[in-house]
């Protein structure tokens, strides 16, 4: 087996069975796109044609789904999603096998697919994240038998638009849909907010099936996805439980340690001089990350600062910023709680955006590249500032790439907030278990035990020095933490590759091997 090494010093096979030839990561903007975007077949619609079919079985049969095809789903209902499971159950009943599953992410709600993996209905998985029992079964038992391909939110949109992922049928959960297929995500009993992920899928899938529990007469007044891209409509009793969208990771913490980290991070942001009229901002999910919003708001109020825009997976805290006039606009690709969903329907400056507009690096512009500040969480960070947000130190898959690599590459200042240890496992390591976000796109680490600046950012280091903010070398912080925790034992792996981590440009930044019991 020929081995190559990428820019973050990860050794990769040149060819991986079940994936193909590996293009090694060479830097955040090293890939210059060539050629044209993928195009789907023309559609045809005669006046009077009925798109509404009797049930899922009829929709799947009308789409002519066959063994070996690729189907896509979105995860806006997160832990409350019913659609992915109901579609795969129907495909199983029809006896169709060897399906390539392309989901924007997979959550605990999707654990029933384990039986479909074991029975051969699903033989390929593309996703941004894996959690719960599915992740354990992949990590420990390699039940898929080939690598899961992990992509960032921007990377998924790029791969679909480039034709690297060719979707045969996109299944779209639609909280409100009219009888021609116009739909939105913020009206109806199962409203989840922005439809940022399927906005891409419907444009590049050969067939699109809308699944709704709120069918309304034509014309729907507020349209996020147009009837021009929809082939069939299925009405079901429920598409999901929106109460399961919000999780602990999307609420501001009351934990004193996390609040301390957030306060220190805010001091870094303020000292950097980036927080001024017209600045832009995004905070990822996680206690400390969201708590930065609280301190940021206090500073903006005191100094009468108004930002340009906030963006991302939107939380209620970003809606507060918008409605109280601290930002001109809020760009939203997925909505994390009820207040965000309501805001999308009533605030004209709360702008729904596709995952492509959010972070596709091969567009002519994207929101992620307009950010001044990005706040990220991490499960591990190493002495080269590489971030892991996908696996634990045990090698088990337990998280997601999300938009972290996209926004870190695009933002002027990327700050990671994390505790120095979790359950006596150090967060700062010599080498992260899995590289997800390359260290060259990360500027500052803030923990409760100290602040570390990436040596690449001498300008930030000088600013913090002149502001009287104490910093440490990241190696010093690592050694300090290890004096308390000791060095963790190394995880043992088998040779089988269970995951491939693509960078947003389609190169491979790391691989995940099967954990040895």
């Amino acid at each position: 087996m020929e081995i190559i090494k990428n820019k973050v010093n990860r050794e990769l096979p040149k060819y991986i069975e079940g994936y193909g030839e590996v293009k090694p990561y060479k830097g955040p903007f090293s890939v210059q796109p060539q050629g044209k975007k993928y195009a789907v077949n023309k559609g045809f619609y005669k006046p009077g044609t009925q798109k509404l079919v009797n049930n899922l079985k009829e929709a799947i049969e009308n789409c002519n789904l066959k063994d070996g095809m690729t189907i896509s789903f979105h995860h806006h209902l997160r832990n409350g999603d019913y659609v992915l499971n109901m579609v795969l159950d129907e495909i199983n009943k029809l006896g169709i096998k060897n399906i390539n599953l392309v989901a924007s992410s997979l959550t605990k709600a999707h654990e029933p697919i384990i039986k479909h993996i074991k029975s051969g209905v699903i033989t390929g998985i593309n996703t941004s994240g894996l959690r719960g029992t599915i992740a354990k079964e992949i990590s420990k038992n390699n039940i898929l038998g080939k690598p899961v391909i992990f992509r960032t939110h921007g990377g998924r949109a790029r791969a679909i638009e480039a034709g690297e992922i060719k979707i045969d049928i996109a299944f779209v959960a639609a909280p409100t849909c009219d009888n021609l297929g116009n739909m939105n995500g913020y009206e109806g009993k199962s409203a989840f907010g922005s439809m940022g992920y399927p906005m891409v899928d419907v444009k590049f899938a050969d067939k699109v099936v809308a699944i709704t529990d709120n069918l309304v007469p034509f014309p729907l007044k507020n349209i996020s996805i147009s009837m021009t891209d929809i082939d069939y409509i299925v009405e079901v009793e429920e598409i999901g439980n929106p109460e399961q969208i919000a999780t602990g990771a999307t609420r501001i913490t009351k934990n004193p340690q996390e609040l301390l980290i957030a306060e220190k991070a805010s001091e870094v942001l303020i000292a950097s001089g980036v927080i001024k009229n017209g600045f832009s901002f995004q905070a990822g999910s996680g206690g400390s990350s969201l708590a930065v919003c609280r301190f940021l708001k206090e500073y903006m109020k005191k100094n009468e600062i108004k930002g340009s825009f906030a963006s991302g997976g939107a939380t209620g805290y970003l809606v507060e910023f918008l409605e109280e006039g601290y930002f001109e606009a809020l760009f939203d690709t997925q909505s994390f709680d009820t207040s965000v969903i309501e805001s999308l329907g009533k605030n004209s400056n709360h702008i729904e955006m596709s995952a492509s507009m959010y972070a596709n690096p091969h567009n002519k512009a994207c929101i992620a590249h307009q950010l001044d500040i990005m706040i990220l969480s991490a499960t591990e960070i190493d002495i080269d500032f590489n971030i892991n947000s996908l696996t634990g130190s045990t090698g088990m898959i337990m998280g997601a790439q999300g938009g972290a690599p996209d926004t870190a590459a695009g933002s002027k200042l990327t700050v990671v907030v994390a505790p120095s240890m979790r359950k006596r496992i150090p967060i700062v390591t010599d080498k992260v278990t899995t590289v997800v976000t390359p260290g060259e796109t990360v500027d500052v680490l803030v923990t409760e035990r100290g602040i570390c600046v990436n040596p690449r950012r001498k300008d930030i280091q000088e600013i913090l020095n002149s502001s009287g903010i104490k910093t440490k070398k990241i190696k010093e912080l690592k050694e300090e933490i290890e004096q308390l925790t000791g060095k963790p034992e190394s995880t043992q792996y088998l040779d089988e590759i269970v995951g491939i981590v693509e960078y947003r440009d389609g190169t491979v930044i790391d691989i995940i091997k099967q954990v040895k019991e």
Side-chain angles (χ1 to χ4, degrees):
M1 180 189 299
E2 187 175 351
I3 299 296
I4 52 179
K5 189 178 281 188
N6 66 13
K7 199 182 178 189
V8 290
N9 291 316
R10 294 296 161 124
E11 292 186 342
L12 313 167
K14 191 173 182 181
Y15 181 89
I16 298 175
E17 195 65 39
Y19 177 75
E21 186 177 345
V22 170
K23 298 174 186 173
Y25 168 75
K26 294 182 178 178
F29 296 102
S30 63
V31 174
Q32 297 295 316
Q34 304 290 327
K36 296 184 178 182
K37 291 188 176 182
Y38 178 71
V40 296
N41 294 328
K42 293 176 182 175
F44 183 63
Y45 175 82
K46 290 175 68 174
T49 301
Q50 294 296 314
K51 293 186 179 184
L52 183 65
V53 296
N54 291 315
N55 49 47
L56 265 175
K57 178 175 181 286
E58 186 176 337
I60 293 168
E61 289 176 337
N62 287 356
C63 290
N64 202 21
L65 180 68
K66 295 177 180 175
D67 291 3
M69 283 188 167
T70 295
I71 61 176
S72 79
F73 297 89
H74 60 101
H75 74 293
H76 288 100
L77 279 158
R78 298 172 74 86
N79 287 329
D81 178 44
Y82 297 166
V83 167
L84 187 146
N85 292 332
M86 72 171 75
V87 170
L88 283 166
D89 285 347
E90 200 60 50
I91 289 172
N92 179 49
K93 289 179 192 170
L94 289 167
I96 299 169
K97 301 278 189 181
N98 194 22
I99 291 296
N100 183 31
L101 173 63
V102 177
S104 52
S105 199
L106 292 169
T107 71
K108 289 182 178 179
H110 304 127
E111 288 179 355
I113 72 167
I114 290 172
K115 63 178 182 287
H116 297 313
I117 297 172
K118 291 182 175 177
S119 68
V121 173
I122 298 170
T123 55
I125 296 178
N126 299 251
T127 180
S128 172
L130 271 183
R131 295 177 174 84
T133 308
I134 307 173
K136 288 178 185 173
E137 288 283 352
I138 296 286
S139 301
K140 281 190 172 182
N141 300 322
N142 190 19
I143 58 169
L144 190 64
K146 64 190 283 190
V148 174
I149 302 171
F150 292 93
R151 292 186 175 89
T152 71
H153 291 327
R156 179 182 189 271
R158 180 205 57 76
I160 291 170
E161 295 185 2
E164 292 171 17
I165 301 173
K166 292 180 181 175
I167 301 171
D168 293 300
I169 308 173
F171 293 93
V172 181
T176 288
C177 182
D178 70 26
N179 53 9
L180 281 177
N182 297 301
M183 65 180 83
N184 72 54
Y186 49 86
E187 296 173 328
K189 66 179 182 180
S190 302
F192 53 68
S194 172
M195 302 191 82
Y197 303 117
M199 281 178 169
V200 178
D201 296 21
V202 301
K203 289 291 182 188
F204 294 89
D206 284 344
K207 298 288 183 184
V208 178
V209 177
I211 301 167
T212 187
D213 55 9
N214 186 33
L215 187 67
V216 298
F218 175 85
L220 180 67
K221 309 300 186 299
N222 301 307
I223 299 171
S224 298
I225 289 177
S226 161
M227 63 185 181
T228 57
D229 295 313
I230 308 304
D231 293 279
Y232 300 104
I233 302 160
V234 181
E235 188 176 20
V236 297
E237 191 173 331
E238 288 181 308
I239 61 169
N241 178 2
E243 292 181 1
Q244 297 297 313
I245 295 173
T247 66
T250 60
R251 300 187 182 100
I252 282 186
T253 181
K254 294 180 181 177
N255 181 304
Q257 178 177 284
E258 291 182 335
L259 288 172
L260 174 63
I261 295 168
E263 188 173 11
K264 285 176 175 286
S266 302
E267 290 170 3
V268 170
L269 298 181
I270 291 166
S272 73
V274 177
I275 302 176
K276 56 189 178 184
N277 283 328
F279 84 103
S280 53
F281 170 81
Q282 182 174 332
S285 59
S288 295
S289 181
L290 287 176
V292 172
C293 296
R294 171 182 144 185
F295 296 101
L296 187 63
K297 186 175 175 182
E298 290 171 2
Y299 181 78
M300 292 174 73
K301 183 177 182 180
K302 183 178 178 183
N303 294 278
E304 298 182 342
I305 292 171
K306 184 166 188 173
S308 169
F309 73 88
S311 75
T315 62
Y317 310 105
L318 294 185
V319 169
E320 280 182 22
F321 273 112
L322 182 73
E323 293 186 338
E324 294 174 20
Y326 290 101
F327 284 100
E328 296 282 357
L330 171 58
F331 289 96
D332 184 357
T333 191
Q334 65 172 325
S335 310
F336 283 140
D337 59 44
T338 305
S339 63
V340 182
I341 297 164
E342 292 172 354
S343 169
L344 198 55
K346 68 180 181 183
N347 292 318
S348 61
N349 54 351
H350 184 165
I351 302 164
E352 190 174 10
M353 65 174 168
S354 72
S356 183
M357 180 180 174
Y358 171 46
N360 180 350
H362 294 169
N363 280 338
K364 295 176 182 176
C366 66
I367 292 297
H369 293 186
Q370 315 308 314
L371 284 168
D372 289 314
I373 298 170
M374 181 65 207
I375 308 295
L376 293 177
S377 303
T379 56
E380 291 178 315
I381 182 167
D382 67 25
I383 56 176
D384 294 319
F385 284 81
N386 296 308
I387 296 176
N388 176 20
S389 56
L390 186 56
T391 58
S393 58
T394 59
M396 298 287 289
I397 301 166
M398 56 179 291
Q401 288 171 287
D406 300 310
T407 49
S411 177
K412 292 187 178 76
L413 177 62
T414 299
V415 177
V416 177
V417 290
S420 60
M421 65 182 84
R422 291 189 179 95
K423 297 180 181 177
R424 297 194 65 77
I425 297 173
I427 299 303
V428 184
T429 67
D430 287 317
K431 189 176 173 183
V432 290
T433 305
T434 307
V435 180
V436 171
T437 301
E440 63 187 303
T441 64
V442 176
D443 302 311
V444 181
L445 166 67
V446 180
T447 75
E448 81 283 8
R449 295 184 185 279
I451 298 166
C452 307
V453 179
N454 191 328
R456 292 171 178 270
R457 294 303 305 266
K458 291 183 173 58
D459 56 331
I460 298 295
Q461 184 66 68
E462 290 172 3
I463 287 170
L464 298 190
N465 290 345
S466 63
S467 301
I469 294 177
K470 293 182 179 178
T471 62
K472 296 176 179 178
K473 303 290 186 188
I474 196 166
K475 284 185 179 178
E476 294 173 4
L477 179 62
K478 182 187 80 75
E479 290 166 2
E480 181 184 324
I481 299 166
E482 286 179 350
Q483 285 177 2
L484 299 170
T485 63
K487 279 202 170 190
E489 292 182 7
S490 299
T491 302
Q492 300 298 309
Y493 298 95
L494 301 173
D495 291 335
E496 284 73 20
I497 298 171
V498 298
I500 294 172
V501 186
E502 279 195 1
Y503 191 61
R504 58 199 302 247
D505 60 9
T507 59
V508 175
I509 195 163
D510 212 342
I511 55 175
I512 303 169
K513 289 194 171 182
Q514 184 178 355
V515 175
K516 189 176 183 180
E517 290 280 8

